């Protein structure tokens, strides 16, 4: 779905993806789903330390990409949510970050 190789700064007016493009992008992201104008994945772990490590990895990855995820975590889970707040919905940046995160942890 995405042909971009780097995240580009979003602003109001940045191209928001339509539902067909979102569905297409999700077919390549195992375990990811859509919730409103976001894509998300919940990672499950045994214990708190691994969930914390995952949250830290996502934070590092977000800084590196320049496109920041919303991260929630606790005992046994870390949930990662991407959206392009300034664009008002999902953009190619969200899918690029999810794809690269999956590559990083596989």
């Amino acid at each position: 779905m995405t042909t971009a190789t780097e995240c580009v700064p979003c602003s109001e007016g940045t191209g928001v993806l339509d539902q067909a493009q979102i569905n297409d992008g999700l077919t390549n992201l195992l375990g990811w789903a859509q919730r409103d104008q976001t894509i998300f994945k919940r990672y499950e772990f045994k214990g708190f330390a691994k969930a914390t490590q995952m949250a830290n990895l996502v934070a590092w990855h977000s800084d590196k990409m320049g496109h920041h995820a919303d991260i929630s975590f606790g005992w046994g889970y870390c949930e990662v949510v991407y959206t392009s707040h300034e664009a008002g919905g999902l953009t190619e940046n969200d899918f690029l970050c999810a794809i690269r995160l999956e590559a990083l942890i596989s």
Side-chain angles (χ1 to χ4, degrees):
M1 191 222 74
T2 184
T3 57
T5 58
E6 298 294 327
C7 285
V8 294
C10 292
S11 61
E12 195 172 331
T14 297
V16 174
L17 302 177
D18 64 31
Q19 192 61 52
Q21 292 169 306
I22 293 167
N23 293 343
D24 182 46
L26 286 171
T27 62
N28 299 316
L29 287 168
L30 185 62
W32 287 79
Q34 181 181 7
R35 181 181 338 153
D36 300 320
Q37 291 300 312
T38 71
I39 56 171
F40 74 97
K41 184 172 182 177
R42 182 180 174 101
Y43 298 88
E44 304 278 333
F45 302 97
K46 292 185 179 181
F48 186 73
K50 295 253 187 226
T52 303
Q53 291 167 359
M54 180 66 176
N56 286 330
L57 177 67
V58 175
W60 171 84
H61 178 258
S62 291
D63 261 355
K64 184 174 191 260
M65 295 295 291
H67 190 72
H68 298 96
D70 292 329
I71 308 162
S72 59
F73 68 100
W75 194 98
Y77 77 94
C78 178
E79 185 173 280
V80 179
V81 180
Y82 286 110
T83 191
S84 297
H85 298 283
E86 293 179 9
L90 289 163
T91 67
E92 283 201 13
N93 284 346
D94 301 304
F95 285 90
L96 177 62
C97 287
I99 289 165
R100 290 215 176 152
L101 178 62
E102 289 296 314
L104 185 62
I105 63 175
S106 61

